[in-house]
Every structure is written in structure tokens, then in C-alpha cells.
Amino acid sequence: MMCELLTAGQMRSIEGRAIAAGETTGLALMERAGEGMIDAILTARPELAAGRCRAVVLCGPGNNGGDGFVIARLLEAQGWRVQAYFYGDADQLPTDARANFDRFGTARIQAMGFPNISDAGLALLRSEFESDAGLPDVVIDALFGTGLSRLAPELVPLAQVWRLGGAAVLRVAVDVPSGLCTDSGHIWEVEGKAALLPADLTVCFHRRKIGCYLGEGPENCGQIVLADLGLAPTDPPASAARLVEMPAPRSLSKSQGHKYDHGHVLTLSGGSGAGGAARLAARAALRIGAGAVTLGCPAEALTENAAQLNAVMLTVIDDAQALTDSLKDQRRNVICLGPGAGVERAATLLAVLLADYSKRGTVLDADALTALAQDKALFSRLHSNCVLTPHGGEFRRLFPDLTAKMDKMPLKGPAYSKADATREAAQRAGCVVVFKGPDTVIGDPSGGLYLHTATGDRAVPWLATAGAGDVLAGFIAGLMARRMPAIVAAKTATWLHVECARSFGAGLIAEDMPDELPKIFRQLGV
């Protein structure tokens, strides 16, 4: 299952089309946004529904500020004590935002100064946290949201006040925290200082925003919830990313049949003393359901591998000719190359694999990626049944120009994101690219983009352990052997990989993950 993750431009386009078609109005959307925000706050903190609470609402110069004025009005109607602060010029507000500015009441809106937040405005806001009434229960950021696409130095001093009160105050962001790039998850910085208002709760409208899940987004958005704007159901933009969620159990079930009906993975290993990574990948492929797995290694490493493997078969593959002969067995429908192979050996074997007319499933990791980065001729032979699984350093070697674009923070406009880079990399390579990390982004050559985030309640810091990537490569290879399309195998394996780590918990080492799979399968009802 998946849900769409939108950029700021995609969200504006959806709202604009609905308004132009007469399906809704800007005022109606703001009213629903305010209602959805209050529902989300009371769901997150039910105790706030019981008493007379106090809220501070920071409203900005655009439509995000218009949402803030609606929120302030609706909270006041529920008996809350509300103070709204406005950063902007009322005469320059968009029409719908101005209507809600007037509706809340000009006399009850405290000006913060414009185009810079004044010292007096900051002092007034600070006094809200030092009031005889005690700390506000909720502070709401309706300053910029998805509309910010520039450096905002005014947020730097405001951020100091925003943090007053510590954990006793619930900080809520409208759509995205102000200062976070909606499209990339980058934080806008001014002279090395974060111009950001981090949230405990971020309420996204209509669809979640991709920047909440990329880069520094997850650690600054807190709990992310979705509020309905009542927009008519439409197909998401073709370019929209999708969030990878739990796979359907039926996609992992095995039917009756012979072992070779479920595929045969050939994992290629390095020499003596360098086979551990390939053994991890081989066991992972077998455990996830491949009917058979063979590890191909140099003759010198045969005894070492035989001493540590039982269900995984062994064959000697010393050189390119031996691999050519091995590939004559068409039952070996997926090859996994890279873990522990050594760059020189990986390059030699890659030349054979990528010349294979059958274009069988090929998962390339570790040393195979380095070999690809060093040889443009090899890279040019990649095909749509390949999967590349780079971490950040490997991605940098493969796509240095894309990495440079990611590293450059623009002065205005959305930053070039990990999602942008992965989409472009997959189209350039002509195959699936799995750009690993806590925010793993998966791109396919047709332009499809998928994001899996191991943050929040799915955070797995103990997954940063030697061999974890080799296990993921094996998981992908095993699912591809079972005739799962490359992009589906990559998404499913990524979700299961994190789920195994979550299930095992602290103390995890790579060997533990394949053995955790049966438990996960049982929980899924496979």
C-alpha cells in the first residue's frame, strides 16, 4: 500500500484546478483546513478538549496565514483563549486570507512587524510564555508552510522564542514547519543558523508533503497527520512520489510447486576471507523465499564457504568464462553481485552479466557499484531488470553531478532533493535505483518514485551495522527470483528489511535479520 507525497507546486496545482472548476472556493478550503487542524490537535492531545485552554497562533503574509486566522477564530468559538500574531502587511494579503484576517478582527491581532519582525513584536510574543496565566497550551505555526521558497532571516530570532516553554507546550505546524523546504526536507539556513520552527505535530492538508519525510524533515515535523480538505478524489500527479507502506500478504505467499518454480539466485562472492558479505546476501535471498540459492566463489574460498553454509549451494566461479558457463543454466534467473566481491573481480564478472542476452534479474551492490562508477562502458549496458542499491558514498561515485546539485542550497526556489536525484539517476541508468538511508528513495526508469522512511516510530538506529546492506541486496534478489518485478521487489524488500530490524531491536547484527523474517511473515498473515 502507498500514499502520495506532494511537492508544494503539485499541491498548488490540485487546489487551483479544483477552484477553477468551481468544485470549491479558496475560502471553503481555508475553513476546512482550520477545522482539520483543530480535529488533529484534539486527537493528538484529547485532554485539551476538556478545559479552557490557551493558544497562540502565528499568522504569515500568505494563504498559510489565512489558515491561521481561521484556526484562531474556530478555537475561540470553542472557548479557548486565543492570541493571534501577524507577520505581514494586511493590505498585501491574498484575497481569501484578507477576508479571514478581517473576520477574526483586526483589533485582536497583534502585529509583529514587517518586512522584519520587530524587537517589540518579539517581546510581545515572549510575554505570552511569561504570562501570569502560565504557558500557552498550544502554539501554532501558520507563518509560511508550503509557501516558503527563500531564505527567511526573520525566522532566526523568532526560533528562540518559539522554543520557550519546552515540552510543556504543543507546537503545531500548518502543512509543513516554517523554514523547512517542502520539496526536499532541507532547512533554510541564514549565516549557518537554522531559520526553522520545528513542530511536535505537523498537520498536512489533502496529501502529505514530501519534505516532511526527506532529509531533516522527519526530525523537525514531529508526528505527521493528514487532514481532509474535502477535495474531490482525483488521480495524483504522474510525478508524485509515493510512500512505501506494508506489503499485501498475498504478494509474499508461495504457491505449491517445485523449488525452481520459485526461482534460483546466484550470488557471486569474493576470494578467501572476503565471503561474509555474499553469504549474508545468499542467506537473505533464501530466507525471503527464493526456491534455491547458489553461491559462486573462487576455488580458494570453497572450503571456507562450505564450512558456513548448508542450505545454500556452492559452485566454483573463478573467472569470466566460468560465469559464462554457469549462466547457461537458465534456472538461475537472478544474479546478485557486489557484496565482498572486490572491485576488480566485480568489474570482470559485470562485463559477462551485462552482456547476457537474456537480461536476467541483476542486483548490484557495494563493489559492483564502484566498478560501474569506474567504467562508463559497463554503466551504459545496464538494463531495466537491474537494481542498483547505493548508499550515499556509492551514489556520489556513480552520480557526482547529481550529488553536487543536492549539496548546493539555493537562495530561493525549492532545493534539489534526494528524491529528485534518485528519479534522475534511475532514468539515466535505465534501471531501478535504491538510494539507501533512513529516508530510502527508490526510483524506476519510467519516472516512478517511492519513499520509505525509517524515522519516528519506525526509526531503527541499530540498522547502521556492518552487512545490513548486503542483507537488503539479498532480500531484493530473492523476491526478484520469485518473479516479482524489480521495482516491486525493491519496495517490498526495503519495508521488510526495516521491519526485521524493528522486530529484533537493539543489539541487532546483520545475521539476525534473515532469521527474523519468519516472525514478520507470521505477523503479516503470510
Side-chain angles (χ1 to χ4, degrees):
M1 295 177 63
M2 287 169 289
C3 67
E4 298 83 34
L5 301 172
L6 300 183
T7 65
Q10 289 165 343
M11 187 64 213
R12 283 194 298 271
S13 177
I14 289 170
E15 290 179 331
R17 284 199 302 269
I19 292 171
E23 297 169 0
T24 188
T25 65
L27 282 173
L29 290 176
M30 281 186 184
E31 199 72 16
R32 291 175 196 146
E35 293 167 353
M37 173 66 75
I38 294 171
D39 287 344
I41 291 171
L42 297 182
T43 299
R45 295 281 180 91
E47 67 274 15
L48 296 179
R52 189 166 182 259
C53 301
R54 190 160 71 93
V56 174
V57 186
L58 309 184
C59 303
N63 284 326
N64 202 247
D67 294 337
F69 297 126
V70 173
I71 294 163
R73 172 170 49 79
L74 294 179
L75 283 174
E76 195 172 70
Q78 293 191 17
W80 286 48
R81 290 167 292 162
V82 179
Q83 180 61 61
Y85 284 78
F86 176 47
Y87 170 68
D89 180 347
D91 292 333
Q92 299 299 316
L93 279 169
T95 302
D96 295 329
R98 178 58 193 255
N100 280 308
F101 174 91
D102 294 334
R103 191 173 180 188
F104 182 68
T106 305
R108 292 182 295 138
I109 297 172
Q110 188 65 248
M112 298 182 70
F114 192 77
N116 296 304
I117 295 177
S118 67
D119 290 340
L122 286 172
L124 283 169
L125 180 58
R126 184 180 293 272
S127 70
E128 294 286 351
F129 295 86
E130 299 167 348
S131 165
D132 292 339
L135 292 169
D137 298 281
V138 180
V139 180
I140 296 170
D141 165 21
L143 282 168
F144 296 114
T146 61
L148 186 64
S149 58
R150 61 169 178 83
L151 295 178
E154 56 269 41
L155 288 176
V156 175
L158 184 57
Q160 303 304 312
V161 181
W162 176 255
R163 293 179 174 85
L164 293 176
V169 178
L170 177 65
R171 292 164 184 79
V172 187
V174 176
D175 235 357
V176 299
S178 291
L180 185 76
C181 178
T182 307
D183 294 4
S184 69
H186 286 304
I187 294 174
W188 295 93
E189 292 188 353
V190 179
E191 297 179 350
K193 297 180 180 179
L196 175 75
L197 306 185
D200 305 308
L201 173 67
T202 297
V203 183
C204 293
F205 299 131
H206 182 62
R207 293 291 183 270
R208 292 172 172 85
K209 308 308 181 291
I210 191 168
C212 296
Y213 294 88
L214 281 173
E216 296 165 292
E219 65 190 83
N220 288 291
C221 288
Q223 181 186 2
I224 302 168
V225 299
L226 188 64
D228 183 22
L229 287 182
L231 292 169
T234 57
D235 292 333
S239 58
R242 289 163 172 78
L243 191 65
V244 176
E245 298 182 316
M246 184 180 73
R250 65 180 179 277
S251 69
L252 294 166
S253 299
K254 291 179 76 169
S255 58
Q256 297 288 347
H258 190 272
K259 63 187 176 188
Y260 290 119
D261 293 336
H262 302 291
H264 186 175
V265 176
L266 174 62
T267 301
L268 298 167
S269 170
S272 181
R279 289 194 293 271
L280 285 170
R283 288 195 72 253
L286 192 63
R287 183 64 86 179
I288 209 163
V293 177
T294 295
L295 188 140
C297 63
E300 66 177 58
L302 193 64
T303 301
E304 170 192 322
N305 287 315
Q308 300 192 58
L309 295 171
N310 291 312
V312 173
M313 299 180 286
L314 293 168
T315 188
V316 173
I317 297 181
D318 276 317
D319 53 25
Q321 185 57 54
L323 178 57
T324 299
D325 294 340
S326 180
L327 294 179
K328 293 176 182 176
D329 185 346
Q330 293 298 315
R331 295 175 301 180
R332 291 174 175 164
N333 61 325
V334 173
I335 314 299
C336 179
L337 172 62
V343 177
E344 184 177 350
R345 175 172 165 82
T348 299
L349 300 181
L350 258 178
V352 175
L353 288 179
L354 297 179
D356 178 25
Y357 71 91
S358 66
K359 291 184 169 48
R360 70 190 77 200
T362 304
V363 179
L364 302 177
D365 187 34
D367 293 332
L369 300 177
T370 301
L372 275 177
Q374 294 176 355
D375 191 331
K376 292 182 179 179
L378 284 177
F379 186 93
S380 68
R381 297 179 192 170
L382 292 168
H383 54 78
S384 60
N385 211 20
C386 293
V387 178
L388 312 184
T389 60
H391 55 55
E394 291 160 345
F395 191 92
R396 182 178 296 273
R397 290 192 288 274
L398 279 165
F399 306 102
D401 58 324
L402 303 184
T403 305
K405 289 167 70 174
M406 276 194 296
D407 291 345
K408 184 178 180 181
M409 190 67 183
L411 297 178
K412 62 179 181 178
Y416 186 81
S417 72
K418 184 175 181 178
D420 296 323
T422 306
R423 191 195 303 271
E424 196 168 343
Q427 291 174 327
R428 183 182 299 180
C431 66
V432 171
V433 174
V434 181
F435 191 172
K436 297 182 291 193
D439 53 349
T440 294
V441 185
I442 305 168
D444 72 37
S446 68
L449 196 67
Y450 308 89
L451 174 62
H452 180 273
T453 179
T455 57
D457 61 359
R458 284 184 66 75
V460 280
W462 45 87
L463 196 52
T465 183
D470 306 315
V471 172
L472 177 61
F475 279 177
I476 296 171
L479 291 173
M480 288 177 70
R482 295 175 57 185
R483 280 76 181 181
M484 198 176 274
I487 186 64
V488 179
K491 292 183 293 184
T492 304
T494 299
W495 189 91
L496 290 171
H497 188 248
V498 168
E499 199 64 18
C500 286
R502 291 183 66 239
S503 175
F504 189 91
L508 175 85
I509 59 176
E511 289 96 320
D512 299 321
M513 280 188 284
D515 294 337
E516 201 70 12
L517 262 179
K519 182 191 297 185
I520 304 304
F521 285 161
R522 286 193 294 273
Q523 291 171 354
L524 290 174
V526 175

